[in-house]
Amino acid sequence: SIQYGIHSNATRYSVAAFVLFVLLSSLIGDTLILVATFQKDAFKINKLIVTVIQHISVADLVISISGSLPVLISLLANSWVLGDALCYATAYTAYIAVQAAVCLLAVLTTVKFLILKYPFRAVTRSTKGVHQVCGLIWGFSLTNILPKLLLKKDDVAFDYRNYICNYGYNADTWEKILPLVAFIYILAPTIIIVVITIPTLKYLAAARKSARRVQGNVSWRGWLTVSLTAAVYCISIMPYCIYLIANKFIKDDYSNRFYINFCRISFFCLMINIMANFYISF
């Protein structure tokens, strides 16, 4: 309903400016990353990490095109103007791409940890295995939409709170299985990222101390990249996790400002992670 929308033009255009910045950062940044990864020695990091970064960049580009771009158009038009077919396509494609991006970030964190723990094995590993793992992640991400298609595939509508088409979760079965689905697709990858980041940072800190003992030097870049990746992801996903939990106890009412505003804030916070890949990588 339009009552959920942003009624101030100044506010709506300000949000549109933010979304435009996210969109351009992703389109330009992730394209540059993809091009650079195919250039020899463009990234002075392990080839296994570069391979995962390629897949993350593709996922971010899909999110930008299927998510950020429609949101920008809807904010400027103050309604959905792209038709019913694109409404459904946008909703389902975005779910797949977002799921892939989150899981691929967990893979990236894990790969970095394994490279530090088994450095000599990492040198001899080919990128084929990493591509296969990333391929499995994309396949797993497709399962995100299967319950939606099976339970109530037409439960998609434009949501004025975040100016994009969303799945409604209105089938009775969702009340029983949604906590499990949320754990599998959101909480589990987040736990992996946080849990593995901690020993990774310890390894990097220990390597720096060892280098100092022998008058060597280890750049802070690796430590900073790992910590920023985890921090930015947590900052972007945490408001959404809080909203999912609180939403079970909140009345669906346009007079309830928390239901509208916190949902909107949590959605746009997710966009931070979309554009962060470029700025962290470079």
Side-chain angles (χ1 to χ4, degrees):
S1 175
I2 196 169
Q3 290 98 329
Y4 295 129
I6 301 174
H7 302 297
S8 166
N9 285 338
T11 303
R12 186 159 47 82
Y13 291 140
S14 297
V15 176
F18 166 73
V19 175
L20 177 61
F21 174 69
V22 172
L23 179 63
L24 292 177
S25 295
S26 177
L27 291 178
I28 297 172
D30 287 305
T31 301
L32 286 174
I33 288 174
L34 279 175
V35 172
T37 56
F38 290 104
Q39 306 296 318
K40 188 177 181 181
D41 298 328
F43 283 92
K44 298 185 183 301
I45 53 179
N46 188 281
K47 60 185 178 180
L48 304 181
I49 295 176
V50 172
T51 302
V52 183
I53 289 175
Q54 288 175 337
H55 285 268
I56 292 175
S57 296
V58 171
D60 285 346
L61 285 171
V62 175
I63 294 170
S64 296
I65 295 169
S66 66
S68 301
L69 181 58
V71 169
L72 177 61
I73 295 171
S74 299
L75 282 166
L76 295 175
N78 200 26
S79 65
W80 181 261
V81 294
L82 299 176
D84 291 342
L86 279 178
C87 183
Y88 282 90
T90 294
Y92 286 117
T93 304
Y95 279 117
I96 295 169
V98 169
Q99 186 63 58
V102 172
C103 291
L104 287 168
L105 190 59
V107 171
L108 179 64
T109 306
T110 304
V111 168
K112 288 181 177 179
F113 171 73
L114 292 175
I115 288 172
L116 288 169
K117 189 172 178 63
Y118 307 106
F120 297 109
R121 292 186 187 180
V123 173
T124 59
R125 294 285 183 183
S126 71
T127 58
K128 182 179 179 180
V130 178
H131 277 300
Q132 290 173 341
V133 171
C134 292
L136 289 174
I137 292 298
W138 282 102
F140 170 73
S141 300
L142 287 171
T143 66
N144 186 302
I145 66 170
L146 286 181
K148 300 174 178 65
L149 293 172
L150 293 172
L151 291 175
K152 200 174 182 180
K153 65 180 179 180
D154 296 328
D155 191 13
V156 174
F158 178 67
D159 191 340
Y160 270 96
R161 293 177 300 169
N162 47 32
Y163 282 82
I164 197 170
C165 290
N166 285 326
Y167 188 82
Y169 298 98
N170 291 313
D172 294 337
T173 311
W174 280 114
E175 189 172 345
K176 299 176 181 178
I177 69 170
L178 193 56
L180 176 62
V181 171
F183 175 82
I184 294 172
Y185 292 107
I186 299 174
L187 189 57
T190 301
I191 291 173
I192 291 171
I193 291 169
V194 173
V195 168
I196 295 182
T197 294
I198 295 171
T200 302
L201 291 176
K202 288 182 178 179
Y203 268 112
L204 289 169
R208 186 172 176 82
K209 287 181 180 179
S210 298
R212 281 181 172 178
R213 291 194 194 101
V214 294
Q215 307 300 316
N217 183 45
V218 175
S219 173
W220 276 102
R221 181 177 174 81
W223 191 93
L224 188 62
T225 300
V226 171
S227 56
L228 277 177
T229 299
V232 169
Y233 173 75
C234 289
I235 290 170
S236 68
I237 197 71
M238 199 57 65
Y240 185 67
C241 291
I242 294 171
Y243 169 75
L244 286 179
I245 296 170
N247 192 46
K248 291 182 66 66
F249 309 99
I250 297 172
K251 183 181 177 183
D252 183 352
D253 184 355
Y254 69 84
S255 64
N256 187 328
R257 304 315 299 176
F258 180 88
Y259 176 77
I260 300 172
N261 293 334
F262 195 78
C263 172
R264 183 173 294 142
I265 291 169
S266 65
F267 174 78
F268 288 114
C269 280
L270 291 173
M271 291 189 173
I272 296 172
N273 200 55
I274 300 172
M275 65 177 179
N277 188 24
F278 168 67
Y279 295 105
I280 293 174
S281 297
F282 283 93

